[in-house]
Amino acid sequence: QVQLVESGGGLVQAGGSLRLRCAASRHTFSSATMGWFRQPSGKEREFVSAITWGWSGLGTYYADSVEGRFAIEIDNTKQTVFLQMDDLKPEDTADYYCALSRRAYYEGRLYSSAQFYDYWGQGTQVTVSS
């Protein structure tokens, strides 16, 4: 059973940075997608970013709201994914979740839909003060 564990959340002032980490254990997928979603208090879960690997190489995707401020990367073993979050804003405050899909996505926007992910972490809280 694949397990995902997030870390790196915390409290930061607006304009600051945080680096989230998601460690995936027991997966040997040669092609897959790891994504980050977030859920502000009282709101629905939303897509943040994803990274996919497979037959067409590496692909990265971002929500419009974080494009240019966040960067996703993955280590060479494909077991750990990072989300570098810069220039944080109060509206970035949320619980952040890591997810893993056993499929690679290179077309359409399936990577942004939570229903296509097979495994989820427990989440890490990010609070940005103004």
Short mmCIF file of all heavy atoms in Angstrom, two decimals, residues 16-50:
data_model
loop_
_atom_site.label_atom_id
_atom_site.label_comp_id
_atom_site.label_asym_id
_atom_site.label_seq_id
_atom_site.Cartn_x
_atom_site.Cartn_y
_atom_site.Cartn_z
N GLY A 16 6.38 35.81 2.37
CA GLY A 16 7.36 34.81 2.77
C GLY A 16 7.29 33.54 1.93
O GLY A 16 6.54 33.46 0.94
N SER A 17 8.08 32.55 2.33
CA SER A 17 8.20 31.31 1.57
C SER A 17 8.08 30.10 2.49
O SER A 17 8.41 30.16 3.68
CB SER A 17 9.55 31.24 0.86
OG SER A 17 9.70 32.30 -0.07
N LEU A 18 7.61 29.02 1.91
CA LEU A 18 7.59 27.71 2.56
C LEU A 18 7.91 26.66 1.50
O LEU A 18 7.63 26.85 0.31
CB LEU A 18 6.23 27.41 3.18
CG LEU A 18 5.85 28.10 4.49
CD1 LEU A 18 4.40 27.79 4.86
CD2 LEU A 18 6.78 27.69 5.62
N ARG A 19 8.45 25.55 1.95
CA ARG A 19 8.75 24.44 1.06
C ARG A 19 8.08 23.20 1.62
O ARG A 19 8.47 22.70 2.67
CB ARG A 19 10.26 24.23 0.93
CG ARG A 19 10.70 23.17 -0.06
CD ARG A 19 12.20 23.18 -0.19
NE ARG A 19 12.74 22.13 -1.03
CZ ARG A 19 12.87 22.21 -2.34
NH1 ARG A 19 12.45 23.29 -2.97
NH2 ARG A 19 13.39 21.21 -3.03
N LEU A 20 7.08 22.72 0.91
CA LEU A 20 6.38 21.52 1.32
C LEU A 20 7.07 20.29 0.74
O LEU A 20 7.63 20.34 -0.36
CB LEU A 20 4.92 21.55 0.87
CG LEU A 20 4.08 22.74 1.34
CD1 LEU A 20 2.64 22.56 0.89
CD2 LEU A 20 4.16 22.94 2.82
N ARG A 21 6.99 19.23 1.49
CA ARG A 21 7.60 17.97 1.06
C ARG A 21 6.58 16.85 1.18
O ARG A 21 5.80 16.81 2.13
CB ARG A 21 8.81 17.67 1.94
CG ARG A 21 9.53 16.36 1.66
CD ARG A 21 10.72 16.23 2.61
NE ARG A 21 11.50 15.03 2.38
CZ ARG A 21 11.30 13.87 2.99
NH1 ARG A 21 10.32 13.76 3.87
NH2 ARG A 21 12.06 12.83 2.70
N CYS A 22 6.57 15.97 0.20
CA CYS A 22 5.70 14.80 0.23
C CYS A 22 6.54 13.57 -0.07
O CYS A 22 7.11 13.46 -1.16
CB CYS A 22 4.57 14.93 -0.77
SG CYS A 22 3.53 13.46 -0.89
N ALA A 23 6.62 12.69 0.90
CA ALA A 23 7.38 11.46 0.73
C ALA A 23 6.42 10.30 0.45
O ALA A 23 5.50 10.05 1.22
CB ALA A 23 8.19 11.19 1.99
N ALA A 24 6.66 9.63 -0.66
CA ALA A 24 5.84 8.48 -1.05
C ALA A 24 6.62 7.20 -0.80
O ALA A 24 7.76 7.09 -1.23
CB ALA A 24 5.45 8.58 -2.52
N SER A 25 6.01 6.29 -0.12
CA SER A 25 6.68 5.03 0.16
C SER A 25 6.03 3.90 -0.64
O SER A 25 4.86 3.95 -0.97
CB SER A 25 6.60 4.71 1.65
OG SER A 25 5.25 4.51 2.03
N ARG A 26 6.85 2.91 -0.97
CA ARG A 26 6.36 1.66 -1.56
C ARG A 26 5.72 1.82 -2.93
O ARG A 26 4.82 1.06 -3.28
CB ARG A 26 5.38 0.96 -0.62
CG ARG A 26 5.91 0.71 0.77
CD ARG A 26 5.02 -0.23 1.53
NE ARG A 26 5.42 -0.34 2.91
CZ ARG A 26 4.85 0.31 3.90
NH1 ARG A 26 3.85 1.13 3.64
NH2 ARG A 26 5.26 0.17 5.14
N HIS A 27 6.17 2.79 -3.70
CA HIS A 27 5.65 2.81 -5.06
C HIS A 27 6.80 2.60 -6.04
O HIS A 27 7.90 3.08 -5.82
CB HIS A 27 4.89 4.10 -5.35
CG HIS A 27 5.69 5.19 -6.00
ND1 HIS A 27 6.03 5.16 -7.34
CD2 HIS A 27 6.19 6.34 -5.51
CE1 HIS A 27 6.72 6.25 -7.62
NE2 HIS A 27 6.83 6.98 -6.54
N THR A 28 6.50 1.88 -7.10
CA THR A 28 7.49 1.58 -8.13
C THR A 28 6.94 1.92 -9.52
O THR A 28 7.26 1.27 -10.50
CB THR A 28 7.89 0.09 -8.08
OG1 THR A 28 6.70 -0.70 -8.25
CG2 THR A 28 8.57 -0.27 -6.79
N PHE A 29 6.13 2.95 -9.58
CA PHE A 29 5.49 3.30 -10.84
C PHE A 29 6.47 3.99 -11.77
O PHE A 29 7.07 4.99 -11.43
CB PHE A 29 4.30 4.23 -10.57
CG PHE A 29 3.30 3.67 -9.60
CD1 PHE A 29 2.88 4.42 -8.52
CD2 PHE A 29 2.78 2.40 -9.75
CE1 PHE A 29 1.96 3.93 -7.60
CE2 PHE A 29 1.88 1.88 -8.84
CZ PHE A 29 1.46 2.64 -7.77
N SER A 30 6.62 3.44 -12.97
CA SER A 30 7.51 4.04 -13.95
C SER A 30 6.85 5.25 -14.62
O SER A 30 7.53 6.07 -15.22
CB SER A 30 7.90 3.01 -15.01
OG SER A 30 6.75 2.51 -15.65
N SER A 31 5.55 5.33 -14.55
CA SER A 31 4.83 6.51 -15.01
C SER A 31 3.72 6.79 -14.01
O SER A 31 3.01 5.87 -13.59
CB SER A 31 4.26 6.31 -16.41
OG SER A 31 3.34 5.25 -16.43
N ALA A 32 3.61 8.03 -13.63
CA ALA A 32 2.63 8.40 -12.60
C ALA A 32 2.56 9.92 -12.51
O ALA A 32 3.26 10.63 -13.24
CB ALA A 32 3.03 7.82 -11.24
N THR A 33 1.71 10.39 -11.64
CA THR A 33 1.56 11.82 -11.40
C THR A 33 1.44 12.06 -9.91
O THR A 33 0.69 11.34 -9.23
CB THR A 33 0.30 12.37 -12.10
OG1 THR A 33 0.40 12.14 -13.51
CG2 THR A 33 0.13 13.86 -11.84
N MET A 34 2.15 13.03 -9.43
CA MET A 34 1.99 13.47 -8.04
C MET A 34 1.50 14.90 -8.06
O MET A 34 2.03 15.73 -8.81
CB MET A 34 3.30 13.34 -7.27
CG MET A 34 3.69 11.88 -7.03
SD MET A 34 5.13 11.68 -5.96
CE MET A 34 4.38 12.02 -4.35
N GLY A 35 0.51 15.17 -7.25
CA GLY A 35 -0.09 16.49 -7.26
C GLY A 35 -0.25 17.06 -5.87
O GLY A 35 -0.18 16.35 -4.87
N TRP A 36 -0.43 18.35 -5.83
CA TRP A 36 -0.74 19.07 -4.60
C TRP A 36 -2.12 19.72 -4.76
O TRP A 36 -2.39 20.36 -5.78
CB TRP A 36 0.29 20.15 -4.31
CG TRP A 36 1.61 19.64 -3.85
CD1 TRP A 36 2.72 19.43 -4.61
CD2 TRP A 36 1.97 19.29 -2.51
NE1 TRP A 36 3.74 18.95 -3.83
CE2 TRP A 36 3.31 18.87 -2.53
CE3 TRP A 36 1.29 19.29 -1.29
CZ2 TRP A 36 3.99 18.45 -1.39
CZ3 TRP A 36 1.96 18.87 -0.16
CH2 TRP A 36 3.29 18.45 -0.20
N PHE A 37 -2.93 19.52 -3.76
CA PHE A 37 -4.22 20.17 -3.68
C PHE A 37 -4.29 20.92 -2.36
O PHE A 37 -3.53 20.63 -1.44
CB PHE A 37 -5.36 19.13 -3.74
CG PHE A 37 -5.52 18.49 -5.09
CD1 PHE A 37 -4.63 17.53 -5.54
CD2 PHE A 37 -6.57 18.86 -5.91
CE1 PHE A 37 -4.78 16.94 -6.79
CE2 PHE A 37 -6.73 18.28 -7.16
CZ PHE A 37 -5.82 17.32 -7.60
N ARG A 38 -5.20 21.86 -2.26
CA ARG A 38 -5.37 22.57 -1.00
C ARG A 38 -6.83 22.79 -0.71
O ARG A 38 -7.65 22.83 -1.63
CB ARG A 38 -4.62 23.91 -1.01
CG ARG A 38 -5.16 24.95 -1.98
CD ARG A 38 -4.25 26.16 -2.03
NE ARG A 38 -4.74 27.20 -2.92
CZ ARG A 38 -4.06 28.30 -3.24
NH1 ARG A 38 -2.84 28.50 -2.72
NH2 ARG A 38 -4.60 29.20 -4.03
N GLN A 39 -7.13 22.91 0.55
CA GLN A 39 -8.51 23.11 0.96
C GLN A 39 -8.57 24.19 2.03
O GLN A 39 -8.23 23.93 3.20
CB GLN A 39 -9.13 21.82 1.47
CG GLN A 39 -10.61 21.92 1.77
CD GLN A 39 -11.27 20.57 1.94
OE1 GLN A 39 -10.60 19.55 2.12
NE2 GLN A 39 -12.59 20.54 1.85
N PRO A 40 -8.97 25.39 1.66
CA PRO A 40 -9.17 26.45 2.66
C PRO A 40 -10.33 26.07 3.58
O PRO A 40 -11.22 25.31 3.18
CB PRO A 40 -9.49 27.68 1.82
CG PRO A 40 -9.00 27.35 0.44
CD PRO A 40 -9.19 25.89 0.29
N SER A 41 -10.31 26.59 4.76
CA SER A 41 -11.36 26.28 5.73
C SER A 41 -12.73 26.65 5.17
O SER A 41 -12.94 27.77 4.71
CB SER A 41 -11.10 27.04 7.03
OG SER A 41 -12.10 26.75 7.98
N GLY A 42 -13.65 25.69 5.18
CA GLY A 42 -15.00 25.95 4.72
C GLY A 42 -15.19 25.95 3.22
O GLY A 42 -16.28 26.26 2.73
N LYS A 43 -14.14 25.62 2.49
CA LYS A 43 -14.23 25.63 1.02
C LYS A 43 -13.87 24.27 0.46
O LYS A 43 -13.42 23.38 1.16
CB LYS A 43 -13.31 26.71 0.45
CG LYS A 43 -13.67 28.13 0.87
CD LYS A 43 -12.79 29.15 0.19
CE LYS A 43 -13.18 30.56 0.59
NZ LYS A 43 -12.31 31.58 -0.07
N GLU A 44 -14.09 24.12 -0.85
CA GLU A 44 -13.79 22.86 -1.50
C GLU A 44 -12.30 22.71 -1.78
O GLU A 44 -11.57 23.71 -1.86
CB GLU A 44 -14.57 22.76 -2.82
CG GLU A 44 -16.08 22.69 -2.64
CD GLU A 44 -16.81 22.47 -3.94
OE1 GLU A 44 -16.17 22.49 -5.00
OE2 GLU A 44 -18.04 22.27 -3.88
N ARG A 45 -11.89 21.48 -1.93
CA ARG A 45 -10.50 21.20 -2.27
C ARG A 45 -10.23 21.67 -3.69
O ARG A 45 -11.03 21.46 -4.59
CB ARG A 45 -10.22 19.70 -2.14
CG ARG A 45 -8.78 19.32 -2.21
CD ARG A 45 -8.57 17.87 -1.81
NE ARG A 45 -8.94 17.64 -0.42
CZ ARG A 45 -8.68 16.51 0.23
NH1 ARG A 45 -8.04 15.52 -0.38
NH2 ARG A 45 -9.07 16.36 1.47
N GLU A 46 -9.07 22.28 -3.91
CA GLU A 46 -8.72 22.81 -5.23
C GLU A 46 -7.32 22.38 -5.62
O GLU A 46 -6.45 22.18 -4.80
CB GLU A 46 -8.83 24.34 -5.24
CG GLU A 46 -7.88 25.04 -4.30
CD GLU A 46 -8.08 26.56 -4.28
OE1 GLU A 46 -9.18 27.03 -4.63
OE2 GLU A 46 -7.12 27.26 -3.92
N PHE A 47 -7.14 22.28 -6.92
CA PHE A 47 -5.85 21.90 -7.48
C PHE A 47 -4.84 23.03 -7.31
O PHE A 47 -5.17 24.20 -7.48
CB PHE A 47 -6.02 21.56 -8.96
CG PHE A 47 -4.74 21.41 -9.72
CD1 PHE A 47 -3.95 20.29 -9.55
CD2 PHE A 47 -4.31 22.41 -10.58
CE1 PHE A 47 -2.77 20.16 -10.25
CE2 PHE A 47 -3.14 22.28 -11.28
CZ PHE A 47 -2.36 21.16 -11.12
N VAL A 48 -3.60 22.65 -7.02
CA VAL A 48 -2.51 23.62 -6.91
C VAL A 48 -1.44 23.38 -7.97
O VAL A 48 -1.12 24.28 -8.75
CB VAL A 48 -1.86 23.57 -5.51
CG1 VAL A 48 -0.68 24.53 -5.44
CG2 VAL A 48 -2.90 23.89 -4.43
N SER A 49 -0.92 22.17 -8.00
CA SER A 49 0.18 21.87 -8.91
C SER A 49 0.32 20.37 -9.06
O SER A 49 -0.13 19.61 -8.19
CB SER A 49 1.47 22.48 -8.38
OG SER A 49 2.55 22.21 -9.24
N ALA A 50 0.93 19.93 -10.15
CA ALA A 50 1.17 18.51 -10.36
C ALA A 50 2.42 18.32 -11.20
O ALA A 50 2.80 19.21 -11.97
CB ALA A 50 -0.02 17.85 -11.03
#
